[in-house]
Amino acid sequence: MEVWLTDLRRRSLAARGGVLVAALAAPCVLLAAPIGYFHSGMTGILAAVTAAALCLAGAGAALVVNEPFRGTDRALKGLLWGMIFRMGIPLGLGLAVQLTGTALAGAGFLLYLLVFFELALAVEVYLSLPAPKSEQGETK
């Protein structure tokens, strides 16, 4: 399993973006949407999907911004630049949704946002890190 996870970091930006989409879409469809429907009907599903989409937008933007900084000597700089998007998009827009008092706020939107933010953070940071060097001292 370790080889498979390490190999993900060697993939193209599009492939890593696909992994990010899958990592957020699967829990949204399989867990959060049914819980949202049970709790608040269709508004609960909309709250879960909107929260996942905001977190995906932030993590995807951070993945793109971080791409030029993937070298081992600049990885920290890339992660810090990515933090602007990773945190700014979901938390800024999530705060706007919560403060406007829409139906999404009553359906638990902020809770879904916090759960998906943590998941997106873990997956995006892992995919943004540089791939380890191979045994011959070269990267694939």
Side-chain angles (χ1 to χ4, degrees):
M1 177 144 168
E2 180 181 329
V3 174
W4 179 78
L5 286 174
T6 303
D7 190 46
L8 284 177
R9 296 191 313 207
R10 291 189 176 101
R11 300 286 180 195
S12 68
L13 178 62
R16 288 181 285 129
V19 170
L20 183 63
V21 168
L24 288 173
C28 180
V29 170
L30 298 174
L31 294 173
I35 292 171
Y37 183 76
F38 179 74
H39 181 262
S40 303
M42 290 304 290
T43 307
I45 293 175
L46 185 60
V49 169
T50 304
L54 285 178
C55 291
L56 179 61
L63 197 64
V64 170
V65 166
N66 190 42
E67 185 65 17
F69 300 103
R70 289 194 73 217
T72 55
D73 57 334
R74 302 177 299 168
L76 181 61
K77 185 184 289 187
L79 288 175
L80 293 175
W81 275 108
M83 187 182 302
I84 295 169
F85 297 98
R86 186 182 311 116
M87 291 182 68
I89 292 172
L91 299 181
L93 294 175
L95 182 64
V97 167
Q98 192 68 22
L99 291 178
T100 57
T102 62
L104 293 179
F109 171 77
L110 196 58
L111 179 64
Y112 293 120
L113 186 74
L114 292 174
V115 169
F116 283 116
F117 179 78
E118 298 299 325
L119 179 62
L121 175 68
V123 173
E124 187 271 326
V125 167
Y126 181 78
L127 293 174
S128 293
L129 291 174
K133 296 193 184 266
S134 66
E135 294 180 12
Q136 290 87 13
E138 302 174 356
T139 57
K140 291 185 179 179

